[in-house]
Structures are given as structure tokens and as C-alpha cells.
Amino acid sequence: MPRPFTPKVITANDLLEGDVIYFTTANTWTRHLSEAELITDEAESQLRLLEAEKQNLTIVGAYLADAKAGENGPEPTHFREDFRRKGPSNYRHGKQEAAAHV
Amino acid sequence: MYKYNDFDAAFLAERNAQFRAQVERRIDGSLTEDEFKPLRLMNGLYLQLHAYMLRVAVPYGTMNPTQMRQFAHVADKWDKGYGHLTTRQNIQFNWPKLRDVPDMLDSLGEVGIHAIQTSGNTIRNTTADHFAGAAADEIEDPRPYAELIRQWSTDHPEFQFLGRKFKIAITGSETDRAVTKAHDVGLRMVRRDGEAGFEVMVGGGLGRTPMIGKVLRDFLPREDLLPYLEAVLSVYNVLGRRDNKYKARIKITVHENGIDTYREMTEKAFALRKAEFDGTDQKLLAEIKEHFAAPTFRHGATDRFDSTYGSDPVFRAWVDTNLSAHHQDDHAVVTISVKNHGQTPGDITSEQMRVVADLAEEFGYNELRLSHEQNVILPHIHKNDLPAIHARLRAADLATANVGLISDIIACPGMDYCALATARSIPVAQEIATRFDDLKLEHEVGDLKIKISGCINACGHHHVGHIGILGLDRAGVENYQITLGGDGSENAAIGTRTGPGFSYDEIVPAVERIIKAYLEVRDSAEERFIDTYGRVGMEPFKAALYPDAAKKVA
């Protein structure tokens, strides 16, 4: 039996800002994981990655990252993606800083 | 220190202009990321977890106050007001924007600083003893040789596409403060029959396959340095593996082919290379040496130092911990700790950069150094100026008296920044430092080097830490392995793993158990941790770390 597919989001870094971005159902990029498209089908994930990579002139290094459905949209399943979502733990820099200014 | 001539300045300006055009072409879509990446890496620009990172070289760790102030300016204008001192005498800016990087590089270029070859499969920034030119035990200042290597290796066409990165470290003392035995090539100044020369070590390195460098030549006359290095590199270029990134470093080349074969091939290549050198390098070296002439040292009474040392215990503690012997009796080498308890090791704010620049200018003959241990050094300070310097450092939160102690931890950026990391290292360092500060045990424990890496690549030098900590990802959870008995000095040794790793929450208590065991088994307060380990071995520490395992056996 094939292993069950772990849902994915597509994530990358913005070319100019360098910060973490996520691919949405509208083929746009968001700064918030919760607004990302959660892909639950393996074949679909590869097609969506190709779609995302069409925008390689403005993004860097798109890849599929494991995620799970949460109350407010996709959530990370691994601590690395959790850090990418928030920012470093020694200062309130990165996304957590942006959030504090909202 | 070395001052750029017209050629150097023009070369750097042109290089920065080229990179500016490359950035523009990436932004306008003329270059793909695959095309742009090697170009940006050649100029020190990485893309990490949350942002770009610009790694700037401080050649052999030497800089002047003007350069330090420019780092402060760059940090304020284009970054978040601080810089991170690395374990290879570089400074990293963690938050630059792509469009700003050419301006940052131009700004640094104005003061003779560049980011060339701080990444990529080239000869990297040559690191040196951070006490060079000041240490009491020095045979000769190694920095002119390091500068010669910088000029020779920068943009050297034969060595721009090596199989893998290549790191050279140099020390002018027989005491090794530059971890020369953990470098691709280590150069250690030695004397033979009254003549100074280099002991050349090859094939050292940390990372996933840690190895101590082997002696390739026990005595290399100083004038043969460049032809010999060319020979070493040319053999590596031919023999080094390009089929597997993890087998590509010279340590594997030497290991697989044997040191004798490597030596034989190097000596053959050396004979050919040597014939091609017409003495230009020696003329250049002579010019470079003039730049590194020792300052005219002020002499005079040390009464202010003596009276403050007698009356101020805080000053005394700092002097006893952070000062090293200078070749002038009335001078000292001051290590400024950038390791406040609970702070990120090696992070220095723009304000602090300006304070140390001012101190170097007012008291320190315009000289500053960075150490691979992520601290800042004022290499030449007259002892009578120390009380004033200490007061200014205190006001800037830079007077922590912990150099060489348990909280003077080397830590790589780890998963808080680095795209390669498998676990965090900074918070582990912060918590260990805070914990032992709370326990007030630091000075009692004494000389101890803890080094932490957030992945197997070992930027935090964990293999040569007396206590080494390696952060890994074990089934999606941070896990920390401990090694003991590593040593980065002239007695270089790779640490031995204690056993199973510890979770993030368990690692600080585990270190505490090691320290308690050490305090119990050491034969006196003078016996350093590393010496106790050498005497008693792993067992008492294992028993302290894994009490349940001991019970099971019993």
C-alpha cells in the first residue's frame, strides 16, 4: 500500500526582500502560512509546484513543505517550518516583528 | 595594518560594479537564480531562512577604527543595527535586502573591506592568530603572510572553481590560537637553527568527517610560502574528488591517497612552481611588511593600573579574565567579551562597534581584531589606560569578565538563521551562560571551552570544544549530542561522543551534570576541565549524564 500523502504547502523566499513567502490558490504569494494553499494530493502538488516556479523571476527556491490543516489555515508540522513562519528565537525580528507592528 | 594601494582600490571598485550589474540583471530577469547564485556567493551574499545574509571578510581578523565605524554605519543604514561576528573572523549582516547589497558593498569598499570569497569553492578568508603582532610568545607577526595570501588568492584564476571550499589558517606563535590543525592548510611559525619558517599542516577540518591536520612539511622557508601553497592547491585540484560533495574536501583527498603520496606530488609540483616565481612575491611581501610595522609604543608608569587593580574587585576580575600577555611588559592584550550572559554570542550593536572603535583610536594605536571565538580584541593597550577603558566598556555593556570561561561560548547561528542548520544553537548558548551565571559557578569552574554547532557542518567548532554540542534533527525533534575532550589548541584533538543525545529541554541540565561531575573529580581548582578529562576519561561524565544506564548495569 502506498504511504499516505502528507499535505503540503509551497514556500519560497522573495527575490528582493529575501523573506519567507507561501503560494496561494490564486497563484499569488502571501507572507502568511495561514493564507497558503494546502495541497492534499501528490500529483496535484507537483503541478502546483511547476505553476509556482513559473514565477521564478521574482522568487527563489520554491519547494513543497509538509503542513497540516489547522483552525486558521495551514500549520507547520516540523520545527524548521515553524521557525520560517515566525523568525529567529533570539530577537523579535522577521515575521514576528512585522506582526508586532500591525 | 595593510592599507589599500590604487590597484587594490580600483580592483575592488570594479568588482563591486560588476556585482551591481549582476544584481540588476537578476532583478530584471536576465539572469535566473541558477545563474545568479554562484555570482552572489562569490561576493558573500547568501540566502538564509528568513532573509539574505551578507558575509563580509575581516582579513585575518585585523581592522582599524574607521572600518569598524563603517560596519556600524552599514548595520544602521541597511540592516537591523547590529553585526554578527563569526567563527572565521568575518562579520555577517542578517537582514539585507537584495537591492541594497551593492550599496552596502560600495560603502564597505570605501574603507578597504570586501566580501569576496567569503563563500563558494575558493580560497576563503585566511584566518590568523587574533593576538598577532601583540602576543608575548610570538616568533613573527603572521599577518604580512596572511595579507600576501589574500592578494594572491583573490580572484586567482586557477583556484576559483576548486572541488570544494578551502580554508587556510596561520599563526606566528608555537601556541596555536588559530586552530590551525582544523584547517585545509594550517601554517604554524616555528624556529629551526635560529631561522623562522612554517610548519605546514594539511587535511585538517571539522564538519561531518572531522580530522586533525597532518604535517606535510615540517619546515618551510618563509620565502617559499606562495609556490608551496600553489603546489598544495594544484595537487588538490587534480586529485580532489568532484563526484561527491561530501568527499570533496582536501582532508578526504589526503586521507584516501595517503599523506606520503600527497607530499610526493606536492614536492614535485613545488619544484615546477618555484621556478616560475621571479621574486615579485618577495618584493610585495617586503612592501606589505612595512604596513605591519609595530606602533611606537608609549611607555610610562602603570600606577593607575596598580592602584585600581588593588582597590576595585570588578576591575580586578576583568583584568584576571580578559587580559593576555603582551610582548611589551607595560602593555596588555584586551579581549572584549561579546558574550554577555544571555546574549547571542558574537552579536555586537552598532553603538558598541563605535565604542570599541573610539577606544582603539584613543588608546589602542588604531588597531582592532576579531577572534574566531567571536570576541573583539584591543591588541595593544598600555596598562595605565586600562581603568578608563574598563569604565567605558562597562557603560557600553561590554565589560563581561568571562573570556575563556564557560559562558564564552562559540555558537554558530544555527536554525535561527541558517538554511543548513538542523537545530538551534544560539538559545542553547544563551541558556547555558545564563544558568551558570545564576549558579555563580563560572569562575570556580575556570578555563572551559564550550562550542555549539547547529548541524554536522560544525561551524561552531563543536569537535574541538572541551565540551562540544551538536544539534541534530531526530525524527522531527531537536536533539543534541555531546562530545568531550575536544581541543583546538596546539594539542588539537577531536572530542568523543558521550552517548545518546538530549532533547532541547534536557541539554542545559546535561551540561550542568557534566560540570558538577568535573567539580567533584578534579584534583584541585587548578586542574582545568580538559586536563581532568585527560586524566579520568569519559566514565565519571558518562555516569553523571546517564544515571539510568548505570543503574541498569548495576
Side-chain angles (χ1 to χ4, degrees), chain A residues 13-20 56-61 78-80 83-91 93-94 97, chain B residues 26-27 29 33 47-52 80 82 95 97-99 344 347 415-417 419 422 424 427 473 476-478:
Chain A
N13 288 76
D14 181 80
L15 174 68
L16 296 179
E17 299 291 310
D19 61 343
V20 175
N56 267 351
L57 290 181
T58 56
I59 62 150
V60 184
H78 188 278
F79 60 92
R80 185 177 194 271
F83 288 129
R84 287 184 79 242
R85 176 174 70 152
K86 281 193 302 227
S89 56
N90 59 333
Y91 304 115
H93 287 160
E97 181 181 45
Chain B
R26 173 67 178 105
I27 292 173
E33 184 62 20
L47 183 56
Q48 298 206 304
L49 282 189
H50 315 292
Y52 285 98
K80 291 190 189 288
Y82 75 99
W95 302 96
K97 304 281 196 285
L98 182 58
R99 272 191 206 285
T344 302
D347 277 6
M415 201 180 272
D416 287 304
Y417 297 90
T422 44
R424 287 172 293 170
D473 174 351
V477 181
E478 287 167 296

Short mmCIF file of all heavy atoms in Angstrom, two decimals, chain A residues 13-20 56-61 78-80 83-91 93-94 97, chain B residues 26-27 29 33 47-52 80 82 95 97-99 344 347 415-417 419 422 424 427 473 476-478:
data_model
loop_
_atom_site.label_atom_id
_atom_site.label_comp_id
_atom_site.label_asym_id
_atom_site.label_seq_id
_atom_site.Cartn_x
_atom_site.Cartn_y
_atom_site.Cartn_z
N ASN A 13 11.45 32.00 -0.98
CA ASN A 13 11.85 33.30 -0.44
C ASN A 13 11.62 34.35 -1.53
O ASN A 13 11.80 34.06 -2.72
CB ASN A 13 13.31 33.30 -0.01
CG ASN A 13 13.55 32.49 1.25
OD1 ASN A 13 13.57 31.27 1.20
ND2 ASN A 13 13.72 33.16 2.37
N ASP A 14 11.25 35.52 -1.11
CA ASP A 14 11.03 36.62 -2.05
C ASP A 14 12.37 37.08 -2.60
O ASP A 14 13.34 37.24 -1.84
CB ASP A 14 10.32 37.77 -1.33
CG ASP A 14 10.04 38.93 -2.26
OD1 ASP A 14 9.06 38.83 -3.01
OD2 ASP A 14 10.80 39.91 -2.24
N LEU A 15 12.43 37.32 -3.90
CA LEU A 15 13.71 37.71 -4.51
C LEU A 15 14.28 38.99 -3.90
O LEU A 15 15.47 39.05 -3.57
CB LEU A 15 13.55 37.89 -6.02
CG LEU A 15 14.81 38.44 -6.72
CD1 LEU A 15 15.93 37.40 -6.68
CD2 LEU A 15 14.51 38.86 -8.14
N LEU A 16 13.47 40.01 -3.76
CA LEU A 16 14.00 41.31 -3.33
C LEU A 16 14.15 41.39 -1.81
O LEU A 16 15.17 41.86 -1.31
CB LEU A 16 13.09 42.43 -3.83
CG LEU A 16 12.99 42.58 -5.34
CD1 LEU A 16 12.03 43.71 -5.69
CD2 LEU A 16 14.36 42.83 -5.95
N GLU A 17 13.12 40.95 -1.09
CA GLU A 17 13.15 41.07 0.37
C GLU A 17 13.91 39.92 1.01
O GLU A 17 14.45 40.07 2.10
CB GLU A 17 11.71 41.08 0.91
CG GLU A 17 10.85 42.25 0.42
CD GLU A 17 11.31 43.57 0.98
OE1 GLU A 17 11.48 43.66 2.20
OE2 GLU A 17 11.53 44.51 0.18
N GLY A 18 13.88 38.77 0.37
CA GLY A 18 14.52 37.59 0.93
C GLY A 18 13.67 36.87 1.96
O GLY A 18 14.08 35.84 2.49
N ASP A 19 12.49 37.42 2.26
CA ASP A 19 11.70 36.82 3.35
C ASP A 19 10.87 35.63 2.85
O ASP A 19 10.81 35.35 1.65
CB ASP A 19 10.83 37.87 4.04
CG ASP A 19 9.83 38.51 3.09
OD1 ASP A 19 10.00 38.39 1.86
OD2 ASP A 19 8.86 39.11 3.58
N VAL A 20 10.26 34.93 3.80
CA VAL A 20 9.54 33.69 3.50
C VAL A 20 8.16 34.01 2.94
O VAL A 20 7.43 34.84 3.49
CB VAL A 20 9.41 32.84 4.78
CG1 VAL A 20 8.55 31.60 4.51
CG2 VAL A 20 10.79 32.43 5.29
N ASN A 56 9.61 32.21 -11.10
CA ASN A 56 10.98 32.17 -10.60
C ASN A 56 11.75 33.48 -10.77
O ASN A 56 12.81 33.65 -10.18
CB ASN A 56 11.76 31.04 -11.27
CG ASN A 56 11.70 29.76 -10.45
OD1 ASN A 56 11.23 29.79 -9.31
ND2 ASN A 56 12.15 28.67 -11.01
N LEU A 57 11.24 34.39 -11.58
CA LEU A 57 11.95 35.66 -11.73
C LEU A 57 11.78 36.55 -10.50
O LEU A 57 12.55 37.47 -10.28
CB LEU A 57 11.47 36.40 -12.99
CG LEU A 57 11.90 35.76 -14.30
CD1 LEU A 57 11.40 36.56 -15.49
CD2 LEU A 57 13.41 35.61 -14.37
N THR A 58 10.78 36.27 -9.69
CA THR A 58 10.57 37.12 -8.51
C THR A 58 10.66 36.35 -7.20
O THR A 58 10.52 36.93 -6.13
CB THR A 58 9.19 37.81 -8.58
OG1 THR A 58 8.19 36.80 -8.72
CG2 THR A 58 9.11 38.78 -9.74
N ILE A 59 10.86 35.05 -7.28
CA ILE A 59 11.00 34.25 -6.06
C ILE A 59 12.28 33.42 -6.15
O ILE A 59 12.89 33.31 -7.21
CB ILE A 59 9.80 33.28 -5.87
CG1 ILE A 59 9.74 32.29 -7.06
CG2 ILE A 59 8.51 34.07 -5.74
CD1 ILE A 59 9.16 30.97 -6.71
N VAL A 60 12.67 32.84 -5.02
CA VAL A 60 13.86 31.99 -5.00
C VAL A 60 13.55 30.68 -4.28
O VAL A 60 13.00 30.70 -3.18
CB VAL A 60 15.04 32.68 -4.28
CG1 VAL A 60 16.30 31.82 -4.38
CG2 VAL A 60 15.31 34.05 -4.85
N GLY A 61 13.88 29.59 -4.92
CA GLY A 61 13.92 28.30 -4.24
C GLY A 61 12.59 27.76 -3.76
O GLY A 61 12.46 27.34 -2.61
N HIS A 78 6.80 20.64 11.11
CA HIS A 78 8.20 20.47 11.51
C HIS A 78 8.71 21.80 12.06
O HIS A 78 8.30 22.87 11.60
CB HIS A 78 9.04 20.05 10.29
CG HIS A 78 10.44 19.67 10.64
ND1 HIS A 78 11.44 20.61 10.81
CD2 HIS A 78 11.02 18.46 10.87
CE1 HIS A 78 12.58 19.99 11.11
NE2 HIS A 78 12.35 18.69 11.17
N PHE A 79 9.64 21.72 13.03
CA PHE A 79 10.09 22.95 13.69
C PHE A 79 10.80 23.91 12.74
O PHE A 79 10.77 25.12 12.93
CB PHE A 79 10.93 22.63 14.93
CG PHE A 79 12.19 21.84 14.70
CD1 PHE A 79 13.39 22.49 14.47
CD2 PHE A 79 12.19 20.46 14.74
CE1 PHE A 79 14.57 21.78 14.28
CE2 PHE A 79 13.36 19.73 14.55
CZ PHE A 79 14.55 20.38 14.31
N ARG A 80 11.42 23.36 11.69
CA ARG A 80 12.10 24.26 10.75
C ARG A 80 11.09 25.21 10.09
O ARG A 80 11.31 26.42 10.01
CB ARG A 80 12.82 23.45 9.68
CG ARG A 80 13.67 24.28 8.74
CD ARG A 80 14.40 23.36 7.75
NE ARG A 80 15.45 24.06 7.03
CZ ARG A 80 15.29 24.70 5.89
NH1 ARG A 80 14.08 24.77 5.34
NH2 ARG A 80 16.30 25.28 5.29
N PHE A 83 9.94 27.84 12.48
CA PHE A 83 10.86 28.99 12.61
C PHE A 83 10.74 29.89 11.38
O PHE A 83 10.78 31.11 11.50
CB PHE A 83 12.30 28.52 12.76
CG PHE A 83 12.59 27.91 14.10
CD1 PHE A 83 13.20 26.68 14.20
CD2 PHE A 83 12.23 28.57 15.26
CE1 PHE A 83 13.45 26.11 15.44
CE2 PHE A 83 12.48 28.02 16.50
CZ PHE A 83 13.09 26.77 16.59
N ARG A 84 10.62 29.27 10.21
CA ARG A 84 10.50 30.09 9.00
C ARG A 84 9.23 30.94 9.07
O ARG A 84 9.19 32.07 8.61
CB ARG A 84 10.47 29.20 7.74
CG ARG A 84 11.82 28.58 7.41
CD ARG A 84 11.77 27.79 6.12
NE ARG A 84 11.83 28.62 4.93
CZ ARG A 84 10.88 28.71 4.02
NH1 ARG A 84 9.77 28.00 4.13
NH2 ARG A 84 11.02 29.49 2.97
N ARG A 85 8.19 30.39 9.67
CA ARG A 85 6.93 31.12 9.78
C ARG A 85 7.04 32.30 10.73
O ARG A 85 6.39 33.32 10.57
CB ARG A 85 5.85 30.15 10.26
CG ARG A 85 4.50 30.80 10.50
CD ARG A 85 3.46 29.77 10.84
NE ARG A 85 3.68 29.17 12.15
CZ ARG A 85 2.70 28.68 12.90
NH1 ARG A 85 1.46 28.72 12.48
NH2 ARG A 85 2.96 28.13 14.07
N LYS A 86 7.88 32.16 11.77
CA LYS A 86 7.92 33.17 12.84
C LYS A 86 9.10 34.12 12.76
O LYS A 86 8.98 35.33 12.94
CB LYS A 86 8.03 32.46 14.20
CG LYS A 86 6.71 31.89 14.71
CD LYS A 86 6.80 31.49 16.18
CE LYS A 86 7.88 30.49 16.47
NZ LYS A 86 7.47 29.36 17.30
N GLY A 87 10.29 33.56 12.55
CA GLY A 87 11.51 34.36 12.66
C GLY A 87 12.40 33.75 13.73
O GLY A 87 12.04 32.74 14.34
N PRO A 88 13.58 34.34 13.95
CA PRO A 88 14.55 33.74 14.88
C PRO A 88 14.06 33.80 16.33
O PRO A 88 13.19 34.62 16.66
CB PRO A 88 15.79 34.62 14.70
CG PRO A 88 15.26 35.93 14.22
CD PRO A 88 14.06 35.60 13.37
N SER A 89 14.64 32.96 17.18
CA SER A 89 14.18 32.94 18.58
C SER A 89 15.02 33.84 19.48
O SER A 89 14.65 34.05 20.64
CB SER A 89 14.17 31.50 19.11
OG SER A 89 15.44 30.90 18.98
N ASN A 90 16.11 34.44 18.98
CA ASN A 90 16.92 35.29 19.87
C ASN A 90 16.51 36.76 19.84
O ASN A 90 16.83 37.51 20.75
CB ASN A 90 18.41 35.15 19.56
CG ASN A 90 18.77 35.52 18.13
OD1 ASN A 90 17.95 35.41 17.22
ND2 ASN A 90 19.99 35.96 17.93
N TYR A 91 15.82 37.19 18.79
CA TYR A 91 15.28 38.55 18.73
C TYR A 91 13.88 38.47 18.14
O TYR A 91 13.58 37.53 17.41
CB TYR A 91 16.11 39.46 17.82
CG TYR A 91 17.56 39.58 18.14
CD1 TYR A 91 18.52 39.09 17.26
CD2 TYR A 91 17.99 40.18 19.33
CE1 TYR A 91 19.87 39.19 17.55
CE2 TYR A 91 19.35 40.28 19.61
CZ TYR A 91 20.28 39.78 18.73
OH TYR A 91 21.61 39.88 19.01
N HIS A 93 12.75 39.55 15.53
CA HIS A 93 12.94 40.01 14.16
C HIS A 93 12.18 39.10 13.21
O HIS A 93 11.65 38.08 13.62
CB HIS A 93 14.43 40.00 13.81
CG HIS A 93 15.21 41.09 14.47
ND1 HIS A 93 16.57 41.05 14.62
CD2 HIS A 93 14.82 42.26 15.04
CE1 HIS A 93 17.00 42.14 15.24
NE2 HIS A 93 15.95 42.88 15.51
N GLY A 94 12.15 39.49 11.93
CA GLY A 94 11.48 38.67 10.95
C GLY A 94 9.97 38.85 11.04
O GLY A 94 9.49 39.91 11.39
N GLU A 97 8.33 40.35 14.11
CA GLU A 97 8.48 41.80 14.23
C GLU A 97 7.39 42.49 13.42
O GLU A 97 6.74 43.41 13.89
CB GLU A 97 9.86 42.20 13.70
CG GLU A 97 10.17 43.68 13.78
CD GLU A 97 11.55 43.99 13.20
OE1 GLU A 97 11.86 43.45 12.11
OE2 GLU A 97 12.29 44.74 13.83
N ARG B 26 19.72 40.16 -12.40
CA ARG B 26 18.85 39.18 -11.73
C ARG B 26 17.46 39.78 -11.53
O ARG B 26 16.44 39.14 -11.76
CB ARG B 26 19.45 38.78 -10.37
CG ARG B 26 18.54 37.88 -9.51
CD ARG B 26 18.36 36.51 -10.12
NE ARG B 26 17.52 35.62 -9.30
CZ ARG B 26 16.26 35.31 -9.58
NH1 ARG B 26 15.66 35.80 -10.65
NH2 ARG B 26 15.58 34.49 -8.79
N ILE B 27 17.42 41.05 -11.12
CA ILE B 27 16.13 41.69 -10.83
C ILE B 27 15.33 41.91 -12.11
O ILE B 27 14.11 41.73 -12.12
CB ILE B 27 16.35 43.02 -10.05
CG1 ILE B 27 16.88 42.71 -8.65
CG2 ILE B 27 15.05 43.81 -9.96
CD1 ILE B 27 17.29 43.92 -7.83
N GLY B 29 15.40 40.08 -14.65
CA GLY B 29 15.03 38.80 -15.25
C GLY B 29 16.03 38.28 -16.28
O GLY B 29 15.81 37.22 -16.85
N GLU B 33 18.02 32.35 -11.15
CA GLU B 33 18.66 32.14 -9.85
C GLU B 33 19.83 31.18 -9.99
O GLU B 33 20.87 31.35 -9.35
CB GLU B 33 17.65 31.63 -8.83
CG GLU B 33 18.20 31.47 -7.41
CD GLU B 33 18.69 32.77 -6.78
OE1 GLU B 33 18.28 33.86 -7.23
OE2 GLU B 33 19.48 32.69 -5.82
N LEU B 47 21.43 33.36 0.84
CA LEU B 47 20.01 33.47 1.17
C LEU B 47 19.74 32.45 2.26
O LEU B 47 19.94 31.25 2.07
CB LEU B 47 19.13 33.21 -0.05
CG LEU B 47 17.62 33.36 0.17
CD1 LEU B 47 17.27 34.74 0.72
CD2 LEU B 47 16.85 33.11 -1.12
N GLN B 48 19.31 32.96 3.42
CA GLN B 48 19.12 32.06 4.56
C GLN B 48 17.64 31.81 4.83
O GLN B 48 16.82 31.99 3.94
CB GLN B 48 19.81 32.65 5.78
CG GLN B 48 21.31 32.79 5.57
CD GLN B 48 22.06 32.76 6.87
OE1 GLN B 48 21.80 33.54 7.76
NE2 GLN B 48 22.96 31.83 6.99
N LEU B 49 17.31 31.43 6.04
CA LEU B 49 15.92 31.08 6.34
C LEU B 49 14.97 32.25 6.18
O LEU B 49 13.94 32.15 5.53
CB LEU B 49 15.80 30.56 7.77
CG LEU B 49 16.24 29.13 8.05
CD1 LEU B 49 15.84 28.76 9.47
CD2 LEU B 49 15.63 28.15 7.06
N HIS B 50 15.31 33.38 6.80
CA HIS B 50 14.36 34.49 6.85
C HIS B 50 14.73 35.65 5.95
O HIS B 50 13.95 36.58 5.80
CB HIS B 50 14.26 35.05 8.27
CG HIS B 50 14.15 34.00 9.32
ND1 HIS B 50 13.04 33.20 9.44
CD2 HIS B 50 15.00 33.60 10.30
CE1 HIS B 50 13.23 32.36 10.45
NE2 HIS B 50 14.41 32.58 10.98
N ALA B 51 15.94 35.65 5.42
CA ALA B 51 16.41 36.82 4.69
C ALA B 51 17.73 36.50 4.01
O ALA B 51 18.30 35.42 4.21
CB ALA B 51 16.62 37.98 5.67
N TYR B 52 18.22 37.47 3.24
CA TYR B 52 19.58 37.37 2.72
C TYR B 52 20.54 37.57 3.89
O TYR B 52 20.18 38.12 4.94
CB TYR B 52 19.84 38.46 1.67
CG TYR B 52 19.18 38.17 0.35
CD1 TYR B 52 17.95 38.77 0.02
CD2 TYR B 52 19.76 37.31 -0.57
CE1 TYR B 52 17.34 38.50 -1.19
CE2 TYR B 52 19.14 37.04 -1.78
CZ TYR B 52 17.94 37.64 -2.09
OH TYR B 52 17.34 37.37 -3.28
N LYS B 80 19.76 45.70 10.75
CA LYS B 80 18.98 45.96 11.96
C LYS B 80 19.84 46.47 13.11
O LYS B 80 19.59 46.16 14.28
CB LYS B 80 18.20 44.70 12.36
CG LYS B 80 17.08 44.37 11.37
CD LYS B 80 16.17 43.29 11.90
CE LYS B 80 15.20 42.80 10.84
NZ LYS B 80 14.13 43.78 10.51
N TYR B 82 22.96 45.84 14.04
CA TYR B 82 23.97 45.00 14.68
C TYR B 82 24.68 44.16 13.63
O TYR B 82 24.20 44.04 12.50
CB TYR B 82 23.36 44.10 15.76
CG TYR B 82 22.58 42.91 15.22
CD1 TYR B 82 23.16 41.64 15.15
CD2 TYR B 82 21.28 43.06 14.76
CE1 TYR B 82 22.46 40.56 14.65
CE2 TYR B 82 20.58 41.98 14.25
CZ TYR B 82 21.17 40.74 14.19
OH TYR B 82 20.49 39.67 13.68
N TRP B 95 20.11 40.78 7.73
CA TRP B 95 18.83 41.23 7.17
C TRP B 95 18.95 42.17 5.98
O TRP B 95 18.12 43.09 5.83
CB TRP B 95 18.01 41.92 8.29
CG TRP B 95 17.76 41.03 9.46
CD1 TRP B 95 18.49 40.97 10.61
CD2 TRP B 95 16.74 40.04 9.58
NE1 TRP B 95 17.98 40.01 11.45
CE2 TRP B 95 16.90 39.43 10.83
CE3 TRP B 95 15.70 39.61 8.74
CZ2 TRP B 95 16.07 38.40 11.29
CZ3 TRP B 95 14.87 38.60 9.19
CH2 TRP B 95 15.06 38.01 10.46
N LYS B 97 18.55 43.66 2.16
CA LYS B 97 17.64 43.48 1.02
C LYS B 97 18.49 43.43 -0.24
O LYS B 97 19.49 44.15 -0.35
CB LYS B 97 16.67 44.67 0.94
CG LYS B 97 15.86 44.90 2.21
CD LYS B 97 14.71 43.93 2.31
CE LYS B 97 13.68 44.39 3.32
NZ LYS B 97 14.10 44.17 4.72
N LEU B 98 18.06 42.63 -1.20
CA LEU B 98 18.88 42.41 -2.39
C LEU B 98 19.30 43.72 -3.06
O LEU B 98 20.45 43.92 -3.42
CB LEU B 98 18.13 41.51 -3.38
CG LEU B 98 18.90 41.17 -4.67
CD1 LEU B 98 20.23 40.47 -4.37
CD2 LEU B 98 18.05 40.30 -5.59
N ARG B 99 18.33 44.64 -3.21
CA ARG B 99 18.63 45.89 -3.90
C ARG B 99 19.69 46.73 -3.17
O ARG B 99 20.37 47.54 -3.80
CB ARG B 99 17.37 46.74 -4.00
CG ARG B 99 16.53 46.48 -5.20
CD ARG B 99 15.46 47.56 -5.30
NE ARG B 99 14.28 47.08 -6.03
CZ ARG B 99 14.23 46.93 -7.35
NH1 ARG B 99 15.28 47.23 -8.08
NH2 ARG B 99 13.13 46.48 -7.92
N THR B 344 23.25 36.81 22.45
CA THR B 344 23.68 35.96 21.35
C THR B 344 25.20 36.06 21.19
O THR B 344 25.72 37.17 21.01
CB THR B 344 23.01 36.42 20.04
OG1 THR B 344 21.60 36.37 20.22
CG2 THR B 344 23.41 35.52 18.88
N ASP B 347 27.12 38.76 18.70
CA ASP B 347 26.33 39.87 18.17
C ASP B 347 26.78 41.17 18.83
O ASP B 347 26.79 41.29 20.06
CB ASP B 347 24.83 39.66 18.43
CG ASP B 347 24.19 38.77 17.39
OD1 ASP B 347 24.93 38.23 16.54
OD2 ASP B 347 22.96 38.60 17.42
N MET B 415 19.66 27.10 13.61
CA MET B 415 18.40 27.19 12.88
C MET B 415 17.65 28.50 13.08
O MET B 415 16.61 28.72 12.47
CB MET B 415 17.49 26.01 13.17
CG MET B 415 16.47 25.88 12.05
SD MET B 415 15.34 24.56 12.24
CE MET B 415 16.23 23.23 11.47
N ASP B 416 18.17 29.38 13.92
CA ASP B 416 17.54 30.69 13.99
C ASP B 416 17.80 31.50 12.72
O ASP B 416 17.06 32.45 12.45
CB ASP B 416 18.04 31.44 15.22
CG ASP B 416 17.43 30.84 16.48
OD1 ASP B 416 16.20 30.77 16.55
OD2 ASP B 416 18.19 30.41 17.37
N TYR B 417 18.84 31.15 11.97
CA TYR B 417 19.15 31.90 10.75
C TYR B 417 19.52 31.01 9.57
O TYR B 417 19.18 31.29 8.44
CB TYR B 417 20.31 32.89 11.00
CG TYR B 417 19.93 33.93 12.02
CD1 TYR B 417 20.17 33.71 13.37
CD2 TYR B 417 19.26 35.09 11.64
CE1 TYR B 417 19.76 34.63 14.32
CE2 TYR B 417 18.84 36.01 12.57
CZ TYR B 417 19.10 35.78 13.91
OH TYR B 417 18.67 36.68 14.85
N ALA B 419 20.15 28.23 6.76
CA ALA B 419 19.32 27.33 5.97
C ALA B 419 19.82 25.88 6.07
O ALA B 419 19.07 24.95 5.80
CB ALA B 419 19.31 27.77 4.51
N THR B 422 20.21 22.05 11.42
CA THR B 422 19.23 21.03 11.77
C THR B 422 18.64 21.27 13.16
O THR B 422 17.73 20.56 13.57
CB THR B 422 19.88 19.63 11.72
OG1 THR B 422 21.17 19.70 12.35
CG2 THR B 422 20.08 19.18 10.28
N ARG B 424 18.63 24.52 16.63
CA ARG B 424 19.10 25.83 17.08
C ARG B 424 20.38 25.69 17.91
O ARG B 424 20.56 24.71 18.61
CB ARG B 424 18.03 26.50 17.94
CG ARG B 424 16.84 27.01 17.15
CD ARG B 424 15.75 27.47 18.07
NE ARG B 424 15.18 26.36 18.81
CZ ARG B 424 14.33 26.49 19.83
NH1 ARG B 424 13.96 27.69 20.23
NH2 ARG B 424 13.84 25.42 20.43
N PRO B 427 20.01 29.74 21.27
CA PRO B 427 19.32 29.69 22.56
C PRO B 427 19.98 28.73 23.56
O PRO B 427 19.92 28.97 24.77
CB PRO B 427 17.91 29.20 22.23
CG PRO B 427 17.78 29.29 20.76
CD PRO B 427 19.14 29.34 20.16
N ASP B 473 18.48 16.98 13.95
CA ASP B 473 17.04 16.76 13.82
C ASP B 473 16.84 15.24 13.92
O ASP B 473 17.24 14.50 13.03
CB ASP B 473 16.61 17.28 12.45
CG ASP B 473 15.16 16.96 12.12
OD1 ASP B 473 14.52 16.18 12.87
OD2 ASP B 473 14.67 17.49 11.11
N GLY B 476 12.22 14.76 13.49
CA GLY B 476 11.41 15.98 13.59
C GLY B 476 11.49 16.70 14.91
O GLY B 476 10.70 17.60 15.19
N VAL B 477 12.46 16.34 15.75
CA VAL B 477 12.63 16.99 17.04
C VAL B 477 14.11 17.36 17.21
O VAL B 477 14.99 16.60 16.82
CB VAL B 477 12.20 16.05 18.19
CG1 VAL B 477 12.36 16.74 19.54
CG2 VAL B 477 10.78 15.58 18.00
N GLU B 478 14.38 18.54 17.81
CA GLU B 478 15.77 18.93 18.05
C GLU B 478 16.41 17.99 19.08
O GLU B 478 15.82 17.71 20.12
CB GLU B 478 15.84 20.36 18.57
CG GLU B 478 15.54 21.40 17.51
CD GLU B 478 15.31 22.77 18.11
OE1 GLU B 478 14.33 22.92 18.86
OE2 GLU B 478 16.10 23.68 17.82
#
